[in-house]
Each structure stands twice: as C-alpha cells, then as structure tokens.
C-alpha cells in the first residue's frame, strides 16, 4: 500500500471536480465518499441533492476563522493511498477505516476534537484520495510535519493487519516517481515509459564510464536529448536540464528535467564526485585494480568483458569484507557496469539486461556515503565496455558476455545481502529483482557455450575421463559425488583438461575455486566451478571449432589420426542460479 502526499494547492473546488470527474481517460468509475470528518460531509457522487460546491464550502469553513491576511495561500492538503496490484479489492468500509487512520497518523485530524476538515473519495477499486483544509476547527494550523513518512509508517501497519502486500519501507534516497499525469501522458503518446524514467535511464548510461564533463555531455547529445546548461558568470557549469525531443507541454515547449529531479545522484555536483575522488581512495583503488587477463587472442568486446568480470570479482570481495563506505562505492559503480552491459550486448540478452539495470538503480543509493575512488576499477571496466562497442551474441563475445552476466548476478546477490543486513529494505529488494533479470539474461547467453563444453567433455576418451574423476575426488572429496551426478560434469571435465594443457595444475585450481566463495546454494556446482576455473586460468571462453578436442584428448585416441592443433577457444561454463 503506497501513500502519496501531493503538493499543497489553493483550489478546493478544482480538486473536487477532478476527484468526482471521469478522469483523463474515463478511468474514474462511480466516484463516491467513503469517509469524512465526523461523517458530516455531503456526497456529490451518490446524493443527487449534494453538489461539489456544497462539499467545498463545508471543507473550507474553518478559513473564515482567520483574517484574510492570515489565511494560508495554499490550504488544500491532498493524499492518495493505493493498494498493490496483487492485493484483494477492499470494501468501502475498509477504505474508510484506512482514510481515518491516515488523517490521524499524519496530524490532519489527530482525534482531539478540533482537527482539520477532510473527505475521502473512492473512484477506483484500488485507491482513494483524501482532501483536507489545512486549518483546524480552532483556527490553528495542523502539525503535519513529515506527513509523508508518517503516512508510510501507518501503511506498513495496515498491510500487516489486513494481510496485504508488504511494501519495503524507504529511506528518502529513491528517485522521484513519475506522476500519474506523466504516466497517462506516456500512455497517450504510445511511449513505453514516462519521459522522466526514459531520461533517467539515458542519463545513467551517459554517466557510465564517462571520464569528464565534456564526455558526459557529448554522450547526452549523441543520445538525442535536448540539453540546457546553467553557466556561471565565470564560465563554470552550475547544472543542467534535459528533455526528450518529443515530450512537449500544452504550449508546445519541451519539458525539461534537472538531473537532481531524475535521481539524487544525477545532479552535476554528484556526478563530478565520480571524476574527482579523494587521493587516498584512488591510491587504494590502484592497488586493488585487477591485472590484465593473459588471453592473447581476445580483443574488443570480449576482452572488455573479461576485464569487467575480474573487476566485478574484486568488487564482490570488497562488498563482503570491506568497510561500508568502500562497499557502497562498489555497489554504486556496479550500476554503471549493468548500464554499459545493457547498452553493448546482443539483442537476445538486451531486454533482460536493461530491466536488470533499471531495477538495480534503486540499490545504488542509501544513506551510507559511497567514498569514490574505491570504485575506479569498476568505472574503468564500464568505460571499456562502452568504448569496445557492441558485442556479438556468439563466439568469444557471447561466451564472455555470459561470464560477465554470471559474475554480475553474484554481485547483485551480494549487494542484496549487504543492504538487508543494514535494513535497507527497498535497496535489498531492488538488488534481488535485478538478480532475477540477470539470471534470465545469463540463461540466454550461456546455453550455447555450455552445450559445446559438455559435448567436448562427453567425447573425451574414457581413460582421460577417469583421470579427471580422480583429480576431482582428490581435490574436493566432499563434493565429488554430487558433482559427478550433475549434468554439467562433462563441461567441468573438459575445462580441467584445458587447464592442464595450458600448463596449470587442475587439482590446485579446483581446490582454490571451491574456497573462493560458498557453494552451498549452487544449483549446479559443476557449472559454478567451470566459470571459476576458466576465468582464473585465463582459458578462452568459446571454441572456434566446437568439435575439437584437447591435445591430451588426442594422445589417448586409440586409432591413429592426423595431429590437431589445440583449439584457441573453449566454451566457458556458466554458474547457475543459487
């Protein structure tokens, strides 16, 4: 249940005309009163003898207790309360009780016998509107300070008592929601999302990995936005506003939004914090920046994705073990990784990645201040993703995309756990929603490379397969039988053989991989280990020839065959959902 305190107004009758009208899209059905102060208000919706003017006069009578020069300029208080889409339809009596609780909780009518006059109107199944006059019966002004937070707290109690969907409580760091007028306008013009949300997504993508103000504004212009900059007499930029070219007001002028109105961290001063980190934080970030992966035949989008995967792994460690300010910085920068990934990935993963980035945006902000500088590696990785260009959905590009999505999934889960431990309910929920979209994107990206690896594992000679089983049982005896029973074991066996061919000790790699992070929640441990081994051993992610076998495979083929070169790419395994 979501309450919303609207801006105060001065036209009681105008608001009543809207509440009892047909709505902008004929959506108001049977507008009627469900509750009012002392139950005295007339109902223009169902009483033929009552008019909206009658109700307006009754509500505004306390204004006459004050001299004209003492009356508030904006005396109309307006609150809407909306149920969740999956909530049952409440009766008029239930909505009336909710209205009475809301005006009491917010201080509009606290129950002392001299509260403000108010009325609650229902014109749809899922919500009500409460209108009140901000002058009490005794002529004093009501104490409705922080009425929004007080309304939220009361709604949380109502949800529990009525068994309704329980909304995660907020902390004031969320981006401003689109208004009902903005949503209706988007529907009217056939836009997928309100202009405010489209602009927020576009500006976020422009920020992702940008290294300077000039680059940021160039990206905004390249995205086709209309831009206005506030310039000081000294020539310095003070701020900016943006608009969609097709979003116009009734006078035909573009509707501009400032960065701070799109999201708290999209104001120009907050964006600048990403480019001017504290010196000590930058030094710490340099020390923890991941090394360049040793895969000589990987360039472009695939190489950028490997770098981003390594940076994401480092971010996971910081979130798990670092202090709060450093962890908050990593989570904030992770949003840039998701924005860059959604912008540059292939079509079959783009929708889910875009939804993941859209959901995770809420998880990037909390009251814990993110100390910029600790996030340099992730921000550079986001920059590399953008500048490397679009990735193909196949081959090394596709497989490394799956590798990065897999790691981003674990980062989203880590962020959700981090926020949950600090009672950041909305942020934790947003991170979990992002993880679900990342899971779907991963499944689309990883199916083909994982299938190739499993085929290679099944085609290995029996003697070599037995050798991989022995390595597995020696390295991870407690998990060996479970792994051997999984469908992903052949892919892990092929990866162990590839690691041996690359000069690594497979048993050592396997032991290290099982210690890096817990495996108890893994649906397929073998898939998780395939990902970890191929990343840590710098093995190519996708084979050029899916039917190739490793060099060691060839040495165990009983019939003579022409010598084959080792494949320069092997399909990566994929960590499944936990």
């Amino acid at each position: 249940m979501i309450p919303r305190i609207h801006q105060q107004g001065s036209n009681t009758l105008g608001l009543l005309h809207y509440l009892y009208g047909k709505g902008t899209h004929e959506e108001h059905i049977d507008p009627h009163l469900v509750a009012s102060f002392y139950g005295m208000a007339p109902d223009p919706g169902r009483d033929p003898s009552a008019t909206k003017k009658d109700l307006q006069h009754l509500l505004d009578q306390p204004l006459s207790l004050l001299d004209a020069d003492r009356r508030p300029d904006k005396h109309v208080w307006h609150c809407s309360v909306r149920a969740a889409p999956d909530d049952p339809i409440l009766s008029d009596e239930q909505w009336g009780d909710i209205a009475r609780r809301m005006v009491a909780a917010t201080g509009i009518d606290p129950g002392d016998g001299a509260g403000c006059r108010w009325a609650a109107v229902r014109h749809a199944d899922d919500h009500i509107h409460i209108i009140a006059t901000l002058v009490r019966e005794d002529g004093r002004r009501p104490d409705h300070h922080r009425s929004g937070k007080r309304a939220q707290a009361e709604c949380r109690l109502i949800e529990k008592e009525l068994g309704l969907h329980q909304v995660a409580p907020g902390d004031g760091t969320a981006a401003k929601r689109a208004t009902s007028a903005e949503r209706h306008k988007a529907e009217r013009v056939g836009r997928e999302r309100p202009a405010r949300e489209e602009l927020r997504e576009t500006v976020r993508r422009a920020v992702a990995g940008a290294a300077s103000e000039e680059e940021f504004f160039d990206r905004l212009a390249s995205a086709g936005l209309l831009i206005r900059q506030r310039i000081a007499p000294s020539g310095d930029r003070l701020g900016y506003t943006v608009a969609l070219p097709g979003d116009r007001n009734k006078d035909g002028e573009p509707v501009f939004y400032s960065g701070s109105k799109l999201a708290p961290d999209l104001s120009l001063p907050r964006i600048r914090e990403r480019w001017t980190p504290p010196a000590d934080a930058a030094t710490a970030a340099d020390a923890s920046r991941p090394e360049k992966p040793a895969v000589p035949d990987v360039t472009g989008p695939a190489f950028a994705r490997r770098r981003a995967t390594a940076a994401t792994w480092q971010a996971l460690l910081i979130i798990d073990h670092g202090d709060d300010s450093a962890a908050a910085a990593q989570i904030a920068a992770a949003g840039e990784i998701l924005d860059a990934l959604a912008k540059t990935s292939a079509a079959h993963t783009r929708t889910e990645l875009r939804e993941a980035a859209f959901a995770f945006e809420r998880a990037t902000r909390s009251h814990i201040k993110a100390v910029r500088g600790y996030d340099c590696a992730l921000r550079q990785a986001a920059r590399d993703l953008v500048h490397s260009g679009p990735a193909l959905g196949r081959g090394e590009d596709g497989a490394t995309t799956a590798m990065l999505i897999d790691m981003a999934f674990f980062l989203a889960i880590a962020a959700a756990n981090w926020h949950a431990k600090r009672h950041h309910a909305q942020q934790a929920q947003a991170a979990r929603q992002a993880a679900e979209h990342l899971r779907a994107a991963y499944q689309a990206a990883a199916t083909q490379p994982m299938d190739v690896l499993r085929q290679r594992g099944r085609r290995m000679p029996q003697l070599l397969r037995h050798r991989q089983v022995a390595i597995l049982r020696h390295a991870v005896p407690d998990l060996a039988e479970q792994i051997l029973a999984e469908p992903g074991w052949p892919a892990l066996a092929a990866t162990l053989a590839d690691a041996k061919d690359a000069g690594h000790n497979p048993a050592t790699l396997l032991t290290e991989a099982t210690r890096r992070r817990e495996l108890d929640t893994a649906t397929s441990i073998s898939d998780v280990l395939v990902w970890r081994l191929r990343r840590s051993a710098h093995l190519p992610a996708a084979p050029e020839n899916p039917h190739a076998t490793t060099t060691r495979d060839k040495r165990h083929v009983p019939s003579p065959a022409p010598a084959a070169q080792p494949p320069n790419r092997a399909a990566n395994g994929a960590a499944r959902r936990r």
Side-chain angles (χ1 to χ4, degrees):
M1 182 165 288
I2 300 175
R4 183 178 177 189
I5 309 297
H6 301 261
Q7 288 185 343
Q8 293 174 199
S10 57
N11 188 349
T12 304
L13 186 59
L15 180 55
L16 289 174
H17 276 301
Y18 168 75
L19 298 181
Y20 280 98
K22 295 182 179 181
T24 54
H25 297 281
E26 306 287 328
E27 72 272 19
H28 295 178
I29 301 172
D30 185 24
H32 60 280
L33 212 67
V34 294
S36 66
F37 72 104
Y38 299 134
M40 294 175 56
D43 184 5
R46 291 187 174 177
D47 183 354
S49 64
T51 68
K52 304 179 189 69
K53 193 77 172 176
D54 294 334
L55 181 53
Q56 179 254 321
H57 279 311
L58 189 64
L59 292 174
D60 285 349
Q61 272 184 359
L63 290 173
S64 62
L65 298 175
L66 302 177
D67 295 334
D69 59 348
R70 294 183 55 223
R71 295 173 188 174
D73 293 334
K74 294 186 176 181
H75 63 271
V76 181
W77 185 84
H78 177 201
C79 172
S80 59
V81 186
R82 185 178 298 273
D86 54 348
D87 281 339
I89 296 178
L90 303 178
S91 66
D92 281 353
E93 290 74 17
Q94 288 174 310
W95 276 118
D97 289 339
I98 290 170
R100 283 183 280 271
R101 292 181 63 168
M102 296 303 293
V103 294
T106 56
I108 296 300
D109 187 4
D112 59 0
C116 299
R117 296 189 176 188
W118 60 273
V121 178
R122 182 182 186 181
H123 55 209
D125 287 338
D126 63 346
H127 71 279
I128 58 171
H129 291 262
I130 305 172
I131 178 175
T133 299
L134 291 175
V135 176
R136 289 163 46 93
E137 296 282 7
D138 56 10
R140 294 187 293 119
R141 299 293 301 275
D143 177 14
H144 63 107
H145 179 62
R146 298 173 65 86
S147 59
K149 287 188 176 296
R150 291 153 72 176
Q152 290 282 355
E154 189 66 23
C155 279
R156 302 296 81 79
L157 297 176
I158 294 171
E159 290 163 356
K160 292 180 180 178
E161 293 175 15
L162 298 184
L164 305 177
H165 174 82
Q166 295 189 18
V167 176
D171 61 1
T173 62
K176 185 176 180 181
R177 296 166 58 90
T179 65
S180 58
E182 290 171 348
R183 291 193 297 271
H184 291 152
K185 183 178 182 181
E187 294 173 4
R188 187 169 64 250
V189 301
R191 190 180 293 123
E192 181 182 354
R193 287 174 174 163
R196 182 190 300 272
E197 294 181 359
E198 284 192 27
L199 288 169
R200 183 163 64 241
E201 181 179 50
T202 305
V203 173
R204 279 201 339 262
R205 288 188 177 187
V207 173
S212 65
E213 288 186 35
E214 288 68 25
E215 183 178 2
F216 168 61
F217 284 107
D218 285 346
R219 290 185 183 184
L220 291 181
S222 297
L225 300 188
L226 303 179
I227 309 165
R228 288 178 180 172
Q229 300 181 33
R230 290 193 298 115
I231 307 296
S234 63
D236 296 331
R237 291 189 183 95
L238 299 177
Y240 71 99
T241 59
V242 289
L244 294 175
D247 184 35
R248 309 245 167 196
N249 60 22
K250 62 181 180 180
D251 298 323
E253 298 174 345
V255 181
F256 282 88
Y257 296 82
S258 66
S260 60
K261 294 297 184 182
L262 298 177
D265 55 348
L266 293 182
S267 67
L268 190 56
R270 291 290 301 277
I271 291 174
R272 283 178 177 143
E273 293 176 3
R274 312 179 193 214
W275 302 320
T276 55
D280 58 339
T283 301
D286 289 339
S288 63
R289 183 170 289 124
E291 296 181 358
K292 178 179 178 180
V295 185
D297 61 338
V298 177
T299 58
F303 175 70
R305 277 154 173 71
R306 280 186 172 272
R307 287 293 299 270
T309 302
T312 304
W313 170 251
Q314 294 295 327
L316 271 170
L317 298 180
I318 295 174
I319 293 171
D320 284 344
H321 307 295
D323 61 38
D324 279 357
S325 58
Q330 298 296 331
I331 293 172
E336 297 191 38
I337 290 287
L338 294 182
D339 283 321
L341 190 57
K343 183 177 181 179
T344 59
S345 291
H348 68 298
T349 57
R350 192 175 304 143
T351 298
E352 292 293 347
L353 288 174
R354 182 186 178 194
E355 292 299 325
F358 186 81
F360 195 78
E361 184 267 345
R362 179 65 189 96
T364 60
R365 292 184 305 275
S366 71
H367 283 302
I368 296 177
K369 182 174 177 57
V371 177
R372 294 294 184 172
Y374 293 103
D375 58 351
C376 284
L378 275 182
R379 295 207 71 249
Q380 181 60 47
R383 181 175 178 79
D384 292 343
L385 288 173
V386 172
H387 284 272
S388 66
L392 300 174
R394 59 185 183 275
E396 192 76 11
D397 281 6
T400 51
T401 296
M403 180 184 290
L404 176 54
I405 295 172
D406 170 78
M407 192 61 70
F409 169 82
F410 288 116
L411 189 146
I413 293 298
N417 294 336
W418 186 85
H419 280 302
K421 289 178 181 177
R422 289 150 185 83
H423 308 291
H424 304 161
Q426 286 189 355
Q427 290 90 333
Q429 184 180 48
R432 286 190 288 268
Q433 290 174 348
E436 290 304 310
H437 289 295
L438 288 169
R439 190 200 329 261
Y442 166 75
Q443 290 170 347
T447 298
Q448 190 273 338
M450 274 300 296
D451 284 346
V452 170
L453 265 184
R454 288 173 182 172
Q455 291 173 16
R456 293 181 67 234
R458 295 187 189 103
R459 291 175 54 248
M460 288 170 54
Q462 185 175 10
L463 181 60
L464 187 55
R465 288 202 302 269
H466 288 330
R467 185 169 298 174
Q468 309 310 324
V469 171
I471 292 173
L472 177 71
R473 286 177 170 155
H474 172 72
V476 286
D478 295 339
L479 299 173
E481 298 308 317
Q482 180 179 348
I483 293 173
L484 289 171
E486 292 178 348
W489 160 244
L492 179 56
T495 297
L496 291 171
D498 289 342
K500 180 68 174 178
D501 286 346
H504 297 283
N505 185 322
T508 301
L509 286 177
L510 199 54
T511 302
E512 292 175 352
T514 57
R515 291 175 179 171
R516 285 181 175 178
R517 200 170 177 82
E518 56 85 20
L519 291 167
D520 294 339
T521 58
T523 302
S524 173
I525 295 177
S526 54
D527 284 4
V528 173
L529 293 177
V530 164
W531 267 137
R532 294 182 182 179
L533 263 63
R534 300 198 78 81
R535 184 177 60 83
S536 62
H538 306 305
L539 298 174
E544 288 184 353
N545 178 8
H547 302 291
T549 57
T550 67
T551 306
R552 294 182 61 81
D553 292 344
K554 289 297 183 181
R555 289 203 288 268
H556 292 282
V557 175
S559 58
Q565 296 295 324
N568 28 0
R569 293 187 182 173
N572 66 297
R576 294 208 176 193
R577 63 187 173 198
R578 294 175 179 250

